[in-house]
Amino acid sequence: MDAMAIGREAVMLCDRIWRNARLATLRSDRSGLGEVPDGIVACRDTRIVYAGATVDAPAGLDAADRIDCAGRWITPGLIDCHTHLIYAGDRSHEFELRMQGASYAEIASAGGGILSTMRATRAASEEALVESALPRLDALIAEGATTVEVKSGYGLDLDSERKQLRAARALALRRPITIAATFLGAHAVPPEAGTADYYIERVCTEMIPAVADEQLAEAVDAFCEGIAFSPEQTARVFAAAQAHGLKLRLHADQLSNTHGAALAARFGALSADHLEYTDLAGVLAMAAAGVVAVLLPGAFYFLRETQRPPVELFRLRRVPIALATDCNPGTSPLTSLLLTMNMGAILLGLTIDECIAGVTREAARALGRLADAGTLEAGKFCDLAIWDIERPADLVYRMGSNPLYARVWRGQ
Ligand code: DI6
Ligand code: FE
């Protein structure tokens, strides 16, 4: 081999390199946040080709575009793995009623709650749904979000659910963001359905097959709760979803213990979410099945819940913990993953590292997207958040200020 060929082989050219940075890689083969005090991230064709210590970088790694991060911290782009971002209407009046003493359940049974959002969502065009969701999405993006899950569940008939899912996916055409769409037809019983059983039948035999056929969602979720659907009805939804190759998520044990966590585990769901009332048996089942616990401190706060999810048991049994906004008009009008992390620490007792992992690596795991996102590792999408902070704890500590310096989605 001649010298030139050797020289050429030694050069590993990529599109862009972020250098002189401190990294929180979140790699699970490293302890804590997988911190690298003097690191670089290199990107080619939307994917990371190297993320790690500058001294360990492959010889000859170079790029035309080399960005000096001046010692700033880089984390994986943030991931909001549980939102109801697409909806129409306004529920601030219900908030006023709640502040005057009405309960969430009372408002719901008086025709408010999910059904009031359903009426507004049915009446809205797909474009209007996209437009009204963009400010909420932009708030998440402004804090470094690069992947956002979006659920349907305010249409509650096939055409309106389709419209909601199309609007969710259209968000990705309007902003540089990865959208993961989830079908939540089993969110509430629409008035025209009569009984819950009849509606669940429609969900299983008409809606799920159509959603799967048209590839409108990658996962199916359900609201398993005393005020919503029973474990038995939820099991029917899960069986239909599995028959159509869709992933499973579950709103479980939020307001009471209906053994939703164990049900999610029995079906091999990716995640069970909320989990305030989950008991030891539920935690053990989740641990055995590898179900991610998605904790939603925004809803816990907004509903003034007092029963905390069993965080110590999750830790002890090594159940992965993710955190998300649950952004929705009724119980968590929250569009900040930074504040979500702060609430995770203060209200739920999570550590700093658990909070940061909860909106990156573990959120990716909850979406079944760990191969593509959630850590700074070669092969994953180059989704980065670059922060003006001294220590990672700054991300969890602050309330209401945003230290994001730059956000990178797929290398751009
Ligand atoms: N759990 C919740 O807290 C929300 N949905 C759900 O499944 C409530 C949604 C709403 O009130 O609009
Ligand atoms: Fe939710």
Side-chain angles (χ1 to χ4, degrees):
M1 211 183 279
D2 62 70
M4 257 176 64
I6 291 167
R8 230 181 289 132
E9 264 183 15
V11 174
M12 185 177 163
L13 203 61
C14 37
D15 302 327
R16 197 164 285 116
I17 288 178
W18 290 266
R19 50 177 283 276
N20 192 15
R22 291 180 276 182
L23 310 182
T25 64
L26 274 298
R27 289 178 64 129
S28 27
D29 57 352
R30 309 261 174 89
S31 65
L33 298 174
E35 296 177 21
V36 175
D38 177 2
I40 66 171
V41 178
C43 172
R44 188 166 69 198
D45 294 337
T46 73
R47 303 239 175 205
I48 295 172
V49 292
Y50 176 78
T54 309
V55 292
D56 297 334
L61 187 67
D62 206 356
D65 194 5
R66 294 168 58 87
I67 297 161
D68 183 354
C69 295
R72 291 187 180 87
W73 278 91
I74 302 182
T75 67
L78 304 191
I79 299 173
D80 196 347
C81 67
H82 180 142
T83 86
H84 309 250
L85 213 65
I86 294 277
Y87 61 82
D90 180 82
R91 304 255 293 273
S92 58
H93 178 57
E94 292 181 15
F95 178 63
E96 285 177 324
L97 295 176
R98 277 193 49 228
M99 291 306 96
Q100 290 160 16
S103 72
Y104 179 68
E106 281 163 5
I107 291 167
S109 51
I114 293 172
L115 293 185
S116 74
T117 301
M118 177 207 74
R119 290 188 289 273
T121 302
R122 284 182 176 180
S125 68
E126 182 183 319
E127 180 54 22
L129 290 176
V130 173
E131 285 297 329
S132 73
L134 282 175
R136 297 188 278 273
L137 182 63
D138 286 339
L140 294 170
I141 287 174
E143 291 185 348
T146 49
T147 299
V148 174
E149 186 257 17
V150 181
K151 300 176 196 298
S152 66
Y154 288 119
L156 306 180
D157 63 39
L158 179 54
D159 282 343
S160 309
E161 288 287 305
R162 267 196 190 118
K163 178 177 67 182
Q164 241 196 308
L165 291 169
R166 288 199 189 104
R169 291 149 48 101
L171 293 173
L173 305 172
R174 302 286 293 272
R175 296 292 185 270
I177 187 96
T178 302
I179 298 289
T182 300
F183 172 65
L184 176 59
H187 194 196
V189 182
E192 72 276 4
T195 69
D197 277 321
Y198 177 79
Y199 179 61
I200 289 296
E201 187 62 21
R202 302 269 74 77
V203 168
C204 295
T205 61
E206 288 170 10
M207 296 162 88
I208 287 175
V211 165
D213 263 14
E214 296 168 39
Q215 298 184 1
L216 289 173
E218 60 190 49
V220 170
D221 193 345
F223 191 14
C224 182
E225 190 57 64
I227 58 166
F229 297 98
S230 70
E232 190 278 325
Q233 289 161 339
T234 302
R236 277 190 265 157
V237 172
F238 275 4
Q242 264 178 344
H244 286 86
L246 295 164
K247 305 177 206 169
L248 306 178
R249 318 274 311 270
L250 188 63
H251 282 71
D253 307 334
Q254 179 189 6
L255 307 168
S256 62
N257 182 9
T258 62
H259 308 287
L263 179 74
R266 184 151 58 83
F267 278 89
L270 284 172
S271 76
D273 304 31
H274 287 290
L275 305 172
E276 277 82 347
Y277 286 83
T278 298
D279 58 14
L280 176 61
V283 175
L284 293 177
M286 287 177 68
V291 181
V292 179
V294 177
L295 306 185
L296 305 166
F300 177 88
Y301 163 84
F302 200 75
L303 293 176
R304 291 185 173 143
E305 295 287 338
T306 52
Q307 166 118 0
R308 285 194 311 128
V311 167
E312 292 78 10
L313 287 178
F314 291 140
R315 228 176 247 150
L316 209 60
R317 300 296 171 171
R318 301 194 181 285
V319 174
I321 300 172
L323 278 176
T325 62
D326 195 15
C327 177
N328 79 69
T331 63
S332 189
L334 171 61
T335 49
S336 168
L337 279 169
L338 293 174
L339 186 55
T340 299
M341 281 196 274
N342 181 269
M343 289 178 171
I346 299 293
L347 298 178
L348 306 185
L350 299 182
T351 66
I352 301 295
D353 287 5
E354 283 170 338
C355 289
I356 295 174
V359 298
T360 53
R361 183 184 64 224
E362 303 313 329
R365 197 190 307 277
L367 295 177
R369 287 174 177 252
L370 202 48
D372 277 333
T375 70
L376 303 181
E377 279 178 270
K380 298 200 182 192
F381 283 124
C382 188
D383 294 347
L384 315 175
I386 307 176
W387 306 96
D388 256 328
I389 53 173
E390 263 317 303
R391 314 172 62 238
D394 260 353
L395 299 177
V396 184
Y397 156 74
R398 299 177 191 223
M399 297 189 288
S401 68
N402 178 8
L404 187 77
Y405 173 74
R407 171 190 171 278
V408 176
W409 181 74
R410 300 200 177 178
Q412 304 281 337

